[in-house]
Amino acid sequence: MLTGASVKNIDMSVQVGALTLQNPVMPASGTFAEGLARVFDLNDLGAFVTKTITHEKRQGNALPRVAETAEGMLNSIGIPSKGLDAFLADVLPFYAPLCPPLIVSISAPTADGFARLARDVSLPGVAAIEANISCPNLEADGRAFAVSPETTAQVVAKLRYATSLPLWVKLSPNTTDIAAVARAAESEGADAVVVANTILGMAIDTETFKPRLGNVMGGLSGAAVKPIILRMTYQVARAVKIPVIGCGGIGNAEDAVEYLLAGAAAVQVGTATFLHPAVMPEIIAGLRDFCARRGFARLSDLSGALREPAEVAVGENAA
Amino acid sequence: MTIVQPRKAIFPRPVAEQALAVLANDPVNDDYKHLVLQAGQPFTQAQPGQFFHLLCPSGDGLAAPYFRRPMSCYRADPQAGRLEFLYKLAGRGTRALGGLHAGDSLNVLGPLGKGFRLHPDWRHILVLGRGVGLATLAPLAEAACASGMRITAILSARRHDLVMSAERFAAAGADVLPVHDDDGSSAPENLHQILEGLVQAGNAPDAVFSCGSNRLLRLLQDYGRRHGIPGQVAVEQQMACGLGMCFCCVRPFGDAAAPEHRRVCWDGPVFDMQETHEC
Ligand SMILES: Cc1cc2nc3c(=O)[nH]c(=O)nc-3n(C[C@H](O)[C@H](O)[C@H](O)COP(=O)(O)O)c2cc1C
Ligand code: FES
């Protein structure tokens, strides 16, 4: 503990498996692009996470692709991807001169497709792979890999075999027992889990009677989802030993602190960047101030520092 | 444990987010309002065709819209330290903007996107716009005037009293031709005749510019193709991030059979006219 804490001397670094990040704040996949370099110094971030890529070219979904909701948004961007070759030629070189480690988010319609892509992006300059397993599994009637522990175990096992890079598995909140899914990922060799992707939702235009998204349904993100994803982060952090990265509705340093206290080792920020593009460096500065104010010499000491009431039957329905 | 020390920034950072003071927000006519903000750099460095992303306030008992709203720049004046917008009271965002008063503040992000490009060899340009689209074309006319170009400005509106900014185009030395729906002068056939008249009179423009409307785009594409005249058009699309991150603002461009999806906020909002598809 610090006495007379100095903002400068706080150790902001965090450990995510074998990776050391200079601070715990990184973008969420699909909510970051080179354009942010116009707004702040990208070297300030803890890490970079790319938009999910696929092996083949994909167009993405029909328009409209986003809709605003109460304190949140729905998206059905899909995964427009220029394919692996364009990624290697255009995107990777952009990150080469930058310091924070690059995490490449990947997706595929089959477990073997995931493995192949993981192998192909295991390249110098890539620090870790984030498997976005919330996408439809063509071998399971299009249900997402991440809905069940079994399909999660299958895809993670193949991924683990395909790459020696740190493997992060991004879970979906659209499942009944996310802790069981996280355990399946851990037991098949995941180095970290990201909690979580978007919550499936819908909005309807009452003038036209049409869905507000071209794809009818889409993923809810932003402030509205924070209590749900925070709860899931807490449940997952209690269920696994590997690091948990919290992601859902984080818009300021307090939100990030909540996730750390719930057990996250690091956090990802998505939708908030659309509203305030400099929000990530602001959160980093805010976390530093928080540590100084509360006398934490090391930010990582916040992780899991939740003070729980003596008797809580975790997993029981509180309502 | 060692941490690599971050190096100095290696990118220019000409985009800023800041709360700017509202100097005025007055009605121009029944449909339009004119918003004037006090602004410094980089806001006043905006180029014609660039836009800003506005965080609209709550108002009228309505919650603030969650997304920012893109708004094309009507005037960026570094000397006066002012940034101006001309907008139509349409949806939730612009109605919220309508409630702003002098002394309030508005959170502004920008300048964003790629604006119009003026080739130094051009001597005469034509702008053809309608309604609030003219707000986007007015700064272009002024930039062209400053580069010594001649300007023909065809300003279209529903009624003659709704023609926007005619004085600004005139002050830029433009040949102003107002057309409206009232007397049928804004009909495509009449516009076609005006455009062909320029060619016949040996006064063909070196480039044409437009904004928004599909009908005007189609007309100018045809004109450009027949006479080998290049053109640029500013397009609109729903946006969330405004900085090329989310891919919600894509439109098809180029080859009709195999179009390429480009981001309006990042690759545009100004595009080559012939590559632009109607939406
Ligand atoms: C426009 C948009 C695009 C997204 N694209 C991806 C993606 O390609 N891959 C992915 O794993 N998650 C994607 N996500 C989900 C985010 O990474 C994140 O998990 C989610 O938005 C919750 O975080 P937030 O509330 O901070 O936005 C996307 C989210 C949004 C809003
Ligand atoms: S608005 Fe997000 S990419 Fe254009």
Side-chain angles (χ1 to χ4, degrees), chain B residues 238-249 263-266:
Chain B
Q238 181 201 27
M239 291 185 191
C241 74
L243 271 163
M245 299 182 271
C246 73
F247 285 81
C248 80
C249 65
R263 291 162 287 180
V264 170
C265 73
W266 183 253

Side-chain angles (χ1 to χ4, degrees), chain A residues 24-25 71 195 221-231 233-234 244-273 275-276 279-280 282-288 290 293 299 302-304 306, chain B residues 66:
Chain A
V25 179
E71 293 305 308
V195 180
S221 63
V225 307
K226 201 192 80 183
I228 299 172
I229 308 298
L230 181 69
R231 179 268 294 176
T233 300
Y234 169 75
V244 178
I245 297 160
C247 173
I250 297 174
N252 56 45
E254 273 74 52
D255 295 339
V257 169
E258 280 191 75
Y259 272 91
L260 296 173
L261 294 175
V267 294
Q268 297 185 345
V269 179
T271 305
T273 297
L275 310 178
H276 301 287
V279 76
M280 285 188 282
E282 281 165 25
I283 291 174
I284 296 165
L287 284 173
R288 201 186 283 281
F290 182 89
R293 184 163 64 76
L299 172 123
L302 285 172
S303 280
L306 181 71
Chain B
Y66 193 67

Side-chain angles (χ1 to χ4, degrees), chain A residues 13 20 22 30-31 33 35 37-41 43 59 63 65-66 68 71-72 77 97 222-223 274-277, chain B residues 1 3 6-7 9 11-15 17 55 65-69 109 237-238 241 244-248 250 261 266:
Chain A
S13 70
T20 303
Q22 64 179 350
T31 63
R38 294 193 182 181
V39 184
F40 64 88
D41 186 347
N43 279 325
Q59 279 287 25
L63 268 59
R65 290 177 168 185
V66 295
E68 50 188 1
E71 293 305 308
I77 304 292
F274 295 170
L275 310 178
H276 301 287
Chain B
M1 166 192 55
I3 297 172
R7 266 166 292 168
F11 299 98
R13 264 169 270 142
V15 174
E17 177 192 342
L55 198 63
Y66 193 67
F67 290 152
R68 288 174 179 270
R69 293 293 191 272
L109 171 71
Q237 190 64 286
Q238 181 201 27
C241 74
M245 299 182 271
C246 73
F247 285 81
C248 80
V250 296
H261 276 157
W266 183 253

Side-chain angles (χ1 to χ4, degrees), chain B residues 118-125 141 143-151 172-173:
Chain B
L118 286 171
H119 195 286
D121 292 346
W122 291 340
R123 305 308 329 142
H124 174 205
I125 66 161
C145 171
S147 310
M149 297 177 193
R150 267 190 313 116
I151 303 138

